Amino acid sequence: MAGLFISFEGIDGSGKSTQARLLADTLRRAGHGVTLTREPGGSAGAEEIRRLVLEGATDRWSPETEILLFTAARRDHLEKTIRPALLRGDVVITDRFADSTRIFQGITRGDLTATVDTLHDLMIGVEPDLTLLVDLDPAEGLARATARAGSEMRFEDMGLAFQTRARAGFLALATRFDRFRVIDGARMPDVVAADVLAAALAALQAR
Ligand code: ADP
Ligand code: TYD
């Protein structure tokens, strides 16, 4: 496909949404076609699934049911938003993608890695060209996420131990795949953004 596919990953409150927005603005100003999107969501059907998975009690869904719901949302997002944008030649910037399922459903509450990987291969089958892991201490992330609290708190409500396992899982994934760049998210937003931009420009050049 002609475009470039970039994902942001990291624990809740690490600054992904802020950085995704800043990168999209900068690339647009430089003349690139940019599609800024997010998961769960990013298409009409997937946004409906978003409400099901992010609101309500922590025990509303089992990890297995979550894998199915997140994968269904991702498939719709891929069909309706990501693929068409890449075919147009856009830079697609998504706030979370399949690595979030690998971590949050795959390892944080028991080992469901094989299930996640099998379903990914069957239904999704693509990876980003570049994944920016915004790394942050989980206590700081939870404090930031709680300060902005709304109705979508189901995963934040799973607590600090859950986010700590997620952080370690993301860092381990980053050592497994070449497409990852780990960005220190504990700095001022504009300082973080400079590292993000450098990684994105390098990927654009390598395209
Ligand atoms: P995420 O999408 O990873 O959950 P957000 O970008 O929504 O994170 O940021 C979570 C909160 O922290 C927001 O209120 C945001 O304004 C704030 N924030 C984002 N980046 C930083 C930063 N580098 N330093 C301090 N606060 C930040
Ligand atoms: P998001 O809106 O990115 O929340 P935040 O801005 O707080 O990081 O994602 C909402 C939650 O959904 C987040 O806690 C992680 C969870 N999630 C999964 O558990 N699996 C997934 O596959 C995805 C995409 C998200």
Side-chain angles (χ1 to χ4, degrees):
M1 281 185 268
L4 186 75
F5 185 19
I6 301 176
S7 65
F8 279 86
E9 296 283 0
I11 58 167
D12 294 325
S14 57
K16 298 176 303 300
S17 315
T18 303
Q19 292 302 324
R21 206 170 331 111
L22 290 172
L23 179 63
D25 290 347
T26 305
L27 292 180
R28 277 182 190 132
R29 276 198 303 272
H32 293 279
V34 175
T35 293
L36 176 61
T37 185
R38 66 163 182 188
E39 290 204 350
S43 61
E47 290 288 335
E48 290 196 36
I49 297 174
R50 179 181 178 95
R51 279 188 287 282
L52 296 176
V53 283
L54 295 194
E55 298 180 15
T58 55
D59 63 357
R60 181 178 186 183
W61 310 108
S62 71
E64 289 83 352
T65 313
E66 280 176 16
I67 294 171
L68 294 167
L69 289 168
F70 280 112
T71 306
R74 183 163 304 125
R75 174 76 194 208
D76 194 61
H77 186 207
L78 191 61
E79 289 176 3
K80 306 277 173 46
T81 303
I82 297 174
R83 265 207 204 105
L86 289 174
L87 287 169
R88 280 199 303 274
D90 274 14
V91 178
V92 173
I93 301 172
T94 184
D95 184 351
R96 298 194 182 283
F97 194 65
D99 297 314
S100 283
T101 310
R102 292 191 172 99
I103 299 306
F104 289 105
Q105 284 66 49
I107 64 159
T108 48
R109 287 159 290 170
D111 186 6
L112 290 171
T113 301
T115 309
V116 170
D117 287 345
T118 302
L119 210 54
H120 178 80
D121 291 348
L122 274 174
M123 289 296 155
I124 309 298
V126 299
E127 303 294 350
D129 300 301
L130 173 67
T131 297
L132 297 159
L133 173 55
V134 185
D135 182 53
L136 187 68
D137 176 69
E140 174 68 21
L142 265 185
R144 287 188 196 170
T146 308
R148 108 193 130 189
S151 56
E152 294 182 343
M153 291 301 286
R154 198 172 148 254
F155 282 85
E156 281 86 349
D157 287 347
M158 292 190 194
L160 189 58
F162 177 87
Q163 298 294 340
T164 300
R165 278 194 293 278
R167 182 201 199 180
F170 276 123
L171 288 170
L173 264 193
T175 65
R176 268 181 49 206
F177 297 110
D178 287 345
R179 64 185 159 84
F180 271 86
R181 300 289 175 274
V182 180
I183 309 279
D184 175 6
R187 301 167 295 163
M188 296 295 286
D190 56 329
V191 180
V192 179
D195 280 3
V196 164
L197 180 62
L201 291 178
L204 272 166
Q205 234 164 18
R207 183 171 54 158

